[in-house]
Amino acid sequence: MIQLREWQSAALIKALDWFSNTEGDNHFLINAAPGAGKTLASCAIAQELINRGEIERVVVIAPRKEVINQWAADFKQVTGRSILKVTGADEDAADMEMDLCATWSAIQGLQDVFQLICQAYKTLVICDEHHHAAVEAAWGASADSSFAAARFSIVLSGTPVRSDGEEAVWLAYDNQGVIDHPEAGTYTLTYGDAVDLGYCRPVTFHRHDGRFTVDLDDGERVHVSGDQKAAIPDSLKRVPSLQKALDFYRLACQPQFEPDEQTPLETGYQATMLQWGIDKLEELRLRMPEAGGLVIAQSIDMAKYMVDLLERLDGEKPMLVHSQMANPEQKIAAFRGNDKRWLVSVNMVSEGVDIKRLRVLIYLPYAQTELAFRQAIGRVVRTNGYDDDTRAYVVMPMLDTFDIYARRVEDEMPASQRTDSPAPTSKRCPVCAHECERGAKVCPSCEYEFPAGTPRFKSCDHCGGLNPMSAKNCNHCGQAFSAAEFSLTLREALRQGAIVRGMDLEEAEVQDAEAIAATVRSRILSTGDEKLVKIVQTLPEESWMRLKSILDA
């Protein structure tokens, strides 16, 4: 039996009491912060129910294939039982004689199998990231039908309220849309609690400012910043897409290139975001030598752009993962086990994915929901297991929406953890963990040679002193650095990808599109129809669900 954290043991006791003494409601809710250890807690509950003879089968439903792989490993570690991984709607892949772990998207095609398992065996169903199971959503309806006969259910969520306001199955809600499950059937551990107890790392948010100047075709200029909307000239207000395009967040998500329109601009807005993250990661690796950073991009094209830009700025080519590449799950697993600095992802490293060494997040997503925001933060706040004295850092555009979400997270943290940590004065050897002087070139204990960094600097306009790129004030004279200014032509501002691709998509649309992507792509490619194939290659898969709804209408 693994050593449980105090909260996991308390959740175990409370769940067993709920299942033993409550008639009618067999659903137990664990609402715990991402990274606190919900998976191991629920596996421990399953093990105890198996030992007591209360259940015979366990079915786990999780968001995506990578999370299923993690569940299988943790379930085996805790219970000693192998769990069959099912990632598609193939009945032959679902063995009723084994415990099963399936994706939410597979439920619709396997309802009959799940119904038979729940009817034939005393079954525990564990629903990970339960916000996927909205009552009105197809997955919610399928889950409700599939597991109606289950003996017990454990509902897991770190973000239990869907951003679209839909109610998830099996749980009651009050008039404000807040979950109103009985207190006796609920165990709650907030992010603030998890930080206070040392289960999660505290987080610092860097609101990345910048001012854009867009040169219009008639010679006029429009200025846009996080706190200043674009003032469109009257003569151009008849162009409906212009106000939408000249939006700070859209411009912040707009790739900037050298005049050749191919080479990423090393002085553009994204470059300054990345440089801040690079400097912070370099500092963090003094204390956690294997610390890594994650970039969440809006599209595959943007992800590739960020990979090229990061390589230019940092000197090491990041690892890229997205759903249209071969074996993305294996690439994520490889990054988890190595010491590469950066991972760039499109909707692959979000909810449930556990990479404990991640500490810096560059956040430029499609979905601007609080649910997606908190799930993303959950990737970088996990404690690494040893004496971890690091913080997590989120680099995000200065946007009111993100600022509101960030302030809510900050307010949850203990007051003592809300201020940033001072720069480390020593560094830890990655070989023998010896504490070395910060400027040491060789570890005095094991003679490990520390790699030489190549820091980038910016000069102070006031005194001329050189400072790290991430500095907010000059280290020499204290002068505050003003927000960087970035110039764009109207053509660059209207570049495809800044106006309509993705930013109008709701989170649910993106997730549903991701669920059908592999099937749609496979079927279209198998037709051999060149025009259809071209559509698959050019239309972002995040938009496929919207296309489906248009065709259905």
Side-chain angles (χ1 to χ4, degrees):
M1 185 69 178
I2 63 168
Q3 182 67 38
L4 296 178
R5 292 171 170 173
E6 184 178 348
W7 86 264
Q8 292 168 328
S9 297
L12 167 66
I13 294 170
K14 194 170 186 179
L16 295 175
D17 182 66
W18 176 256
F19 290 145
S20 300
N21 301 321
T22 303
E23 295 184 4
D25 192 336
N26 61 353
H27 305 103
F28 186 78
L29 171 64
I30 297 181
N31 175 18
K38 295 186 293 294
T39 301
L40 292 178
S42 54
C43 287
I45 296 170
Q47 177 62 52
E48 185 60 30
L49 291 172
I50 292 169
N51 293 342
R52 296 183 178 191
E54 295 283 350
I55 60 170
E56 300 165 311
R57 293 285 180 273
V58 178
V59 175
V60 177
I61 308 299
R64 48 175 55 91
K65 186 176 179 180
E66 168 62 20
V67 183
I68 280 181
N69 292 335
Q70 292 174 197
W71 265 101
D74 289 342
F75 190 79
K76 177 72 173 180
Q77 177 190 3
V78 176
T79 69
R81 293 162 58 130
S82 297
I83 194 166
L84 184 63
K85 296 178 284 187
V86 182
T87 56
D90 182 1
E91 290 195 23
D92 293 336
D95 187 343
M96 291 180 58
E97 299 300 315
M98 293 188 67
D99 300 316
L100 298 177
C101 188
T103 58
W104 279 97
S105 58
I107 295 178
Q108 288 176 273
L110 294 172
Q111 290 185 66
D112 292 344
V113 174
F114 289 134
Q115 287 173 351
L116 288 173
I117 291 174
C118 292
Q119 291 167 0
Y121 302 96
K122 293 182 288 187
T123 304
L124 167 68
V125 178
I126 302 174
C127 294
D128 194 8
E129 304 301 345
H130 187 67
H131 52 265
H132 287 292
V135 173
E136 299 301 324
W139 294 355
S142 299
D144 200 28
S145 172
S146 298
F147 307 121
R151 185 181 181 101
F152 303 122
S153 297
I154 300 175
V155 175
L156 305 179
S157 187
T159 47
V161 180
R162 285 175 59 104
S163 300
D164 56 13
E166 298 290 350
E167 297 180 357
V169 296
W170 307 334
L171 300 175
Y173 290 76
D174 63 19
N175 293 333
Q176 282 72 47
V178 178
I179 288 179
D180 191 24
H181 197 61
E183 192 281 330
T186 303
Y187 192 92
T188 300
L189 183 78
T190 68
Y191 171 65
D193 294 334
V195 170
D196 202 26
L197 294 168
Y199 302 149
C200 292
R201 306 311 308 147
V203 62
T204 294
F205 295 96
H206 170 68
R207 285 89 163 167
H208 198 69
D209 199 3
R211 296 190 179 95
F212 293 95
T213 299
V214 181
D215 293 321
L216 305 183
D217 291 340
D218 59 2
E220 291 194 70
R221 284 188 166 184
V222 174
H223 300 279
V224 188
S225 65
D227 56 5
Q228 176 186 348
K229 289 187 176 181
I232 305 297
D234 291 338
S235 61
L236 291 174
K237 286 183 178 178
R238 57 183 174 80
V239 184
S241 62
L242 192 58
Q243 184 74 61
K244 198 171 188 179
L246 300 184
D247 169 81
F248 175 74
Y249 186 70
R250 293 180 189 275
L251 294 178
C253 296
Q254 176 61 46
Q256 293 177 264
F257 296 93
E258 298 286 357
D260 63 8
E261 297 193 358
Q262 293 182 346
T263 306
L265 184 65
E266 294 185 27
T267 56
Y269 181 83
Q270 298 85 17
T272 59
M273 279 189 76
L274 291 177
Q275 189 61 58
W276 197 98
I278 289 168
D279 291 345
K280 184 54 65 177
L281 183 61
E282 190 69 31
E283 185 178 282
L284 284 164
R285 285 170 79 98
L286 295 175
R287 305 302 308 149
M288 182 194 288
E290 74 280 17
L294 170 66
V295 178
I296 294 182
Q298 313 92 335
S299 66
I300 293 174
D301 287 343
M302 186 60 174
K304 291 178 179 177
Y305 169 84
M306 297 295 261
V307 165
D308 291 343
L309 187 54
L310 258 174
E311 184 175 12
R312 287 176 172 275
L313 296 173
D314 197 37
E316 178 184 285
K317 189 176 183 66
M319 184 173 288
L320 172 66
V321 290
H322 58 76
S323 58
Q324 292 189 20
M325 69 193 324
N327 303 318
E329 291 82 11
Q330 285 86 336
K331 294 180 185 297
I332 293 172
F335 183 87
R336 182 184 292 113
N338 63 34
D339 64 351
K340 283 186 70 69
R341 295 165 65 87
W342 289 96
L343 177 66
V344 180
S345 166
V346 184
N347 277 334
M348 291 294 297
V349 185
S350 53
E351 55 193 8
V353 177
D354 185 1
I355 305 175
K356 290 182 172 63
R357 68 187 188 89
L358 287 176
R359 279 297 174 272
V360 179
L361 170 65
I362 310 293
Y363 194 58
L364 280 172
Y366 269 147
Q368 295 183 37
T369 65
E370 186 166 7
L371 186 153
F373 184 81
R374 285 181 175 264
Q375 286 289 353
I377 294 170
R379 300 321 102 208
V380 294
V381 298
R382 284 160 159 74
T383 297
N384 208 34
Y386 56 82
D387 183 18
D388 188 352
D389 57 5
T390 60
R391 291 182 72 88
Y393 291 85
V394 176
V395 188
M396 62 189 191
M398 182 177 281
L399 187 69
D400 285 346
T401 301
F402 293 158
D403 184 57
I404 290 170
Y405 300 158
R407 289 186 185 280
R408 289 174 183 164
V409 174
E410 289 168 337
D411 288 344
E412 291 179 14
M413 287 194 293
S416 60
Q417 298 284 9
R418 294 176 191 172
T419 55
D420 199 0
S421 303
T425 57
S426 64
K427 60 185 175 183
R428 183 175 286 160
C429 175
V431 175
C432 68
H434 181 75
E435 290 290 343
C436 308
E437 293 183 4
R438 175 165 177 161
K441 296 181 179 180
V442 178
C443 173
S445 177
C446 69
E447 299 186 347
Y448 168 79
E449 293 187 11
F450 292 101
T454 54
R456 290 160 57 97
F457 298 95
K458 60 184 177 183
S459 61
C460 174
D461 294 335
H462 186 69
C463 72
L466 294 179
N467 296 269
M469 294 292 289
S470 59
K472 293 182 179 180
N473 298 84
C474 177
N475 293 334
H476 307 279
C477 68
Q479 182 76 15
F481 289 107
S482 58
E485 295 192 2
F486 309 97
S487 297
L488 296 170
T489 65
L490 180 60
R491 180 173 176 271
E492 289 173 324
L494 294 174
R495 189 191 306 271
Q496 183 184 12
I499 303 175
V500 296
R501 282 179 57 187
M503 291 309 302
D504 291 327
L505 294 176
E506 295 295 330
E507 178 198 10
E509 284 186 277
V510 175
Q511 292 178 345
D512 290 347
E514 182 184 11
I516 67 172
T519 301
V520 172
R521 188 185 310 108
S522 175
R523 291 182 179 179
I524 290 180
L525 292 177
S526 67
T527 67
D529 188 312
E530 293 183 2
K531 292 184 178 180
L532 288 177
V533 169
K534 187 174 182 180
I535 291 174
V536 171
Q537 293 173 336
T538 57
L539 181 68
E541 68 177 37
E542 293 87 351
S543 302
W544 288 3
M545 205 64 194
R546 176 161 294 185
L547 176 61
K548 179 180 182 300
S549 66
I550 293 172
L551 295 174
D552 288 345

